[in-house]
Amino acid sequence: MLKLELLLNKFRKKTLPFNPSMLVIDTNCLCNNSCYFCWRTNKIEALKELNKNHGKNPYISMEIYKKIIDDAIQYPSITWLSLCGPMGEPMMHNKLDDMLEYAYKKNHFEKISINTNGLAIDRHDIKKLLSSTHDFSISVDSIDPETYEKIHGKNSNLNKVIENIKRCVEYKKYKGAISTITVRFTENELNMGQYPEFKKFFLNLGVDEINYTKVHSFIGVMEKSVNIKTAKKCCQPFRAINFTFKGDMTTCCINWQMSPIFGNIKNSSIKELWMNRKMTDWLKTRLNTNPCNNCGGLGSKISKRGLMYSENKLSFL
């Protein structure tokens, strides 16, 4: 009986309610672009407050980052790691390539992905970047300089981004890499009709894939995208574990408000945070409270079981 109980305890330690499959970690709260649809451009007072509170320490520490990774790899269901939260551009963290390499060497994650605007790629070790990620995605959105600047802001530099993408393509071509080099086109009101030319340009340049998507809403920013029906279908709160650059667990990968907070990894485990009363109480009422009541959600297609969870029939409460 004792051996059976030990085996059961070992199994329980490796299981989380809802079997979350994704781990999202925000690496910092800085950005070198000012995209017109981003909260950073539209919520100036909130950005000022963020800089006031965290301007002297805007990066996740390696200690916190490693603790999150080391804890997460206990759980077989967590197979996807993304270093792309809503607060900042991941390439602004000067240890990003080391962070990706650390996670990759754990030999646990089936997919390690990153999405960047591409402007600061040249600040990092391209070998580490492309040999420690499975999906290396760069958001470009337009090859027309005028349109690009309207989307990404005056601090953007399309020519430099294209040169950085060329470096990645050349490195993979001649030295090899596991990463799929993807260029993203997010369709919005400023770049309508530009996708065919965009696609042709980057396929000729030699990238592996072109990702086409439509602009989504940051919470409370693009009011026309707020939709309680799609928010209800969003599986992020149930399928993704999200950490801010401070090590706080929060709700989802577009929650720039960083509220509610369910606790910090410094003094808790992922399991303790994922199952604590703050989170379970929030899940019961999420559609009536921030951030879900001010969001369009990701509109993810989810299983019947996931939909049951979203209707607050939470089996582990």
Side-chain angles (χ1 to χ4, degrees):
M1 287 296 292
L2 180 59
K3 287 185 177 181
L4 178 61
E5 184 63 25
L6 289 172
L7 286 172
L8 288 173
N9 285 338
K10 184 177 181 181
F11 176 77
R12 291 187 190 112
K13 288 179 181 178
K14 294 186 178 181
T15 304
L16 293 172
F18 312 131
N19 291 315
S21 58
M22 187 175 186
L23 173 65
V24 181
I25 305 175
D26 224 335
T27 64
N28 67 88
C29 63
L30 304 173
C31 193
N32 49 14
N33 277 192
S34 51
C35 299
Y36 89 97
F37 52 78
C38 181
W39 73 270
R40 300 176 68 92
T41 304
N42 292 272
K43 300 292 182 180
I44 300 300
E45 293 304 315
L47 182 58
K48 288 180 179 178
E49 190 68 18
L50 178 75
N51 291 335
K52 177 182 175 181
N53 293 334
H54 304 294
K56 293 182 179 179
N57 187 21
Y59 308 102
I60 193 170
S61 71
M62 287 299 289
E63 179 184 6
I64 290 176
Y65 173 78
K66 288 180 177 180
K67 184 176 182 185
I68 295 171
I69 296 296
D70 292 344
D71 199 347
I73 61 175
Q74 297 181 70
Y75 304 103
S77 70
I78 304 175
T79 58
W80 182 1
L81 169 66
S82 173
L83 301 189
C84 307
M87 304 310 297
E89 158 61 37
M91 292 287 167
M92 297 297 285
H93 198 302
N94 60 6
K95 296 288 186 181
L96 180 70
D97 39 12
D98 293 329
M99 294 164 70
L100 290 167
E101 185 178 55
Y102 182 83
Y104 180 76
K105 286 185 174 180
K106 293 296 180 179
N107 198 29
H108 170 83
F109 299 102
E110 295 176 8
K111 182 177 181 179
I112 298 176
S113 65
I114 191 162
N115 183 46
T116 171
N117 60 40
L119 188 57
I121 289 175
D122 55 322
R123 292 172 45 176
H124 298 276
D125 185 332
I126 290 181
K127 178 181 178 180
K128 286 185 179 180
L129 292 179
L130 298 183
S131 299
S132 302
T133 56
H134 302 94
D135 182 21
F136 191 78
S137 179
I138 306 104
S139 290
V140 185
D141 306 318
S142 179
I143 57 170
D144 174 66
E146 185 177 345
T147 304
Y148 182 85
E149 183 174 315
K150 287 180 179 179
I151 295 173
H152 288 263
K154 292 183 178 180
N155 293 328
S156 61
N157 187 330
L158 177 59
N159 289 334
K160 185 176 180 181
V161 170
I162 291 174
E163 285 303 312
N164 281 337
I165 295 172
K166 286 181 179 178
R167 290 190 188 101
C168 292
V169 170
E170 290 296 303
Y171 182 90
K172 182 173 181 178
K173 181 179 179 180
Y174 293 107
K175 297 187 178 181
I178 66 165
S179 189
T180 298
I181 300 172
T182 303
V183 172
R184 298 187 65 177
F185 181 93
T186 301
E187 186 179 76
N188 56 73
E189 58 191 352
L190 299 177
N191 64 4
M192 295 289 289
Q194 295 185 11
Y195 179 65
E197 184 180 5
F198 178 95
K199 180 179 179 180
K200 182 180 179 180
F201 176 86
F202 281 108
L203 288 179
N204 287 338
L205 190 145
V207 303
D208 297 313
E209 291 184 7
I210 309 291
N211 179 275
Y212 169 89
T213 187
K214 293 188 177 182
V215 67
H216 67 74
S217 171
F218 279 97
I219 296 162
V221 174
M222 301 183 71
E223 298 294 340
K224 61 184 179 182
S225 298
V226 174
N227 187 327
I228 195 63
K229 290 183 179 180
T230 54
K232 185 177 182 179
K233 292 180 180 180
C234 182
C235 60
Q236 275 275 313
F238 311 99
R239 302 297 289 161
I241 296 172
N242 297 270
F243 281 99
T244 74
F245 66 100
K246 304 302 292 183
D248 295 321
M249 183 184 286
T250 186
T251 61
C252 68
C253 69
I254 59 173
N255 186 1
W256 60 270
Q257 297 172 344
M258 297 192 295
S259 178
I261 293 297
F262 306 127
N264 193 286
I265 194 68
K266 290 179 183 177
N267 45 32
S268 301
S269 66
I270 286 178
K271 188 167 189 175
E272 289 168 340
L273 296 174
W274 187 249
M275 297 181 65
N276 73 19
R277 182 53 56 182
K278 285 183 180 179
M279 180 172 178
T280 54
D281 285 348
W282 176 77
L283 285 173
K284 290 179 180 179
T285 61
R286 73 179 187 90
L287 295 174
N288 300 316
T289 59
N290 275 329
C292 294
N293 67 347
N294 199 20
C295 182
L298 296 184
S300 303
K301 183 178 179 180
I302 55 177
S303 65
K304 182 177 179 181
R305 187 183 183 199
L307 184 59
M308 180 181 73
Y309 290 151
S310 74
E311 292 173 347
N312 303 324
K313 298 176 182 178
L314 305 172
S315 60
F316 73 102
L317 297 181

